[in-house]
Amino acid sequence: MNQPHNESSVSHRGSMTLRPCTLVWLALVGLTLAMLVVGKMGLSGGNVVALLLVATLIKTQLVADIFMGLRQSRLLWRMIVTVYLVGVIGLIGLAWWLGNV
Amino acid sequence: MQQTTALTAGKEDYPPGDFVIWIVIYAELLAFGIFFLSYAFARSQNVELFNASQLELNRTAGAINTLVLITSSYFVVRSIAAIRENLQKQAARWMWAAIGLGSIFIVIKLFEFYTKYDEGITLSSNTFYMFYLSMTFFHFMHVILGLVILTIMATKIRHGDYTAQEHDGMETGANYWHMVDLVWIILFPLVYVIR
């Protein structure tokens, strides 16, 4: 027997309301396009990198929480991924800072 | 793994899918994390080389591949949502659409690899390309494995092997695919954008 899984355990047929997973997909697309613009413009600097890393953290946490269904699981399972994401993305930021100061 | 009753506040004991896949996912994330941090700290020792080499990458291709993987992941979520309502045909359609997008990722990535090969770039060209080629190829292999898993799932949906009551296998395969997506979401800004 499967556990209920986020928003998709609820029928949305006939509803005009967007599913949470659709909202997350739209957010992911928007943040990716913003990153492309930053890349195309060749923007750099501490503030730009910080924004890019925060956007990456938000995107990955959304995938983990909503797409992978960790939001519906006990905190431990969610925290493993969150600690990993904050740790890796934070250290990427530290490495950038070390190389650019 | 059979899911049991929630312990606290409606939360489930285990994440969706087979428990073993989560061990695999955490191990894979650890491996990719080591890659990412090795790249980031190697870059900090040679910023000019990394910035100059990064300019030679096709950022548009990288961004399109990000959109392709994100959308493919979304389609897999929709496929599972459909199977929860016992809509097998709809679930199969979403899954095949996800496979189609995953295949587009493969084509774009092969184009990128071919372009670099044609320019005479190899693993030994410089440190940036050593990381770029090894990380993206490592990820590429995961995409191929993911596509095999999704194809098996799509076939099983067609055969009626998944139902609203029993689709643990689908959750398992889906989460592997989402992991592949999650890793690329970090890889794209790290290698293509941040400078």
Side-chain angles (χ1 to χ4, degrees):
Chain A
M1 172 113 174
N2 289 87
Q3 63 180 301
H5 186 289
N6 299 336
E7 91 312 323
S8 44
S9 60
V10 179
S11 173
H12 289 253
R13 279 180 295 174
S15 168
M16 291 302 288
T17 311
L18 287 177
R19 294 166 182 257
C21 66
T22 304
L23 292 173
V24 166
W25 173 68
L26 289 171
L28 294 172
V29 168
L31 288 169
T32 301
L33 292 175
M35 283 183 174
L36 175 63
V37 170
V38 169
K40 284 283 189 186
M41 293 174 74
L43 296 178
S44 187
N47 291 338
V48 172
V49 172
L51 280 174
L52 286 169
L53 292 176
V54 168
T56 303
L57 183 61
I58 292 169
K59 286 170 74 179
T60 47
Q61 191 68 58
L62 283 173
V63 169
D65 283 350
I66 309 300
F67 285 7
M68 299 174 96
L70 285 177
R71 193 175 61 169
Q72 293 300 310
S73 306
R74 287 173 66 189
L75 191 61
L76 168 71
W77 300 107
R78 195 180 184 189
M79 286 309 293
I80 292 173
V81 174
T82 301
V83 167
Y84 166 85
L85 293 174
V86 171
V88 168
I89 293 171
L91 285 170
I92 289 171
L94 173 67
W96 184 91
W97 182 76
L98 289 173
N100 288 271
V101 289
Chain B
M1 170 175 287
Q2 294 294 305
Q3 300 298 329
T4 56
T5 53
L7 283 183
T8 54
K11 301 289 184 186
E12 298 296 328
D13 287 350
Y14 297 99
D18 196 287
F19 179 71
V20 173
I21 197 64
W22 285 95
I23 304 299
V24 172
I25 286 171
Y26 292 140
E28 295 276 20
L29 289 178
L30 191 62
F32 275 105
I34 291 167
F35 254 134
F36 294 154
L37 295 181
S38 301
Y39 170 92
F41 282 97
R43 181 191 175 278
S44 72
Q45 302 298 310
N46 205 342
V47 174
E48 284 161 17
L49 169 74
F50 275 65
N51 282 352
S53 301
Q54 188 195 60
L55 285 177
E56 297 166 0
L57 298 183
N58 187 339
R59 285 198 187 86
T60 306
I64 290 171
N65 262 348
T66 310
L67 294 173
V68 160
L69 272 193
I70 284 169
T71 307
S72 180
S73 251
Y74 169 67
F75 285 177
V76 169
V77 173
R78 295 300 302 265
S79 179
I80 290 182
I83 211 75
R84 286 207 183 92
E85 297 173 21
N86 265 329
L87 301 170
Q88 267 82 5
K89 279 187 181 172
Q90 207 176 89
R93 275 200 292 270
W94 282 113
M95 193 59 74
W96 283 115
I99 293 165
L101 285 175
S103 304
I104 290 172
F105 179 96
I106 294 291
V107 170
I108 292 174
K109 204 75 211 115
L110 283 174
F111 168 75
E112 277 191 87
F113 284 142
Y114 175 76
T115 305
K116 291 299 160 207
Y117 172 77
D118 200 43
E119 291 169 358
I121 288 166
T122 65
L123 280 170
S124 51
S125 292
N126 64 35
T127 313
F128 173 84
Y129 279 113
M130 187 269 289
F131 277 110
Y132 167 76
L133 290 172
S134 52
M135 278 197 298
T136 53
F137 187 74
F138 188 50
H139 180 267
F140 180 83
M141 297 308 290
H142 283 76
V143 175
I144 289 176
L145 176 59
L147 282 175
V148 171
I149 292 168
L150 293 189
T151 304
I152 292 168
M153 285 161 56
T155 309
K156 291 186 79 163
I157 293 170
R158 193 164 60 104
H159 291 156
D161 291 345
Y162 297 125
T163 63
Q165 290 71 38
E166 184 50 62
H167 53 271
D168 230 24
M170 241 181 119
E171 302 265 22
T172 302
N175 276 326
Y176 181 85
W177 190 244
H178 296 321
M179 182 274 294
V180 171
D181 177 29
L182 186 148
V183 166
W184 183 263
I185 288 174
I186 301 174
L187 202 155
F188 169 62
L190 177 65
V191 176
Y192 288 81
V193 181
I194 290 174
R195 48 189 298 104

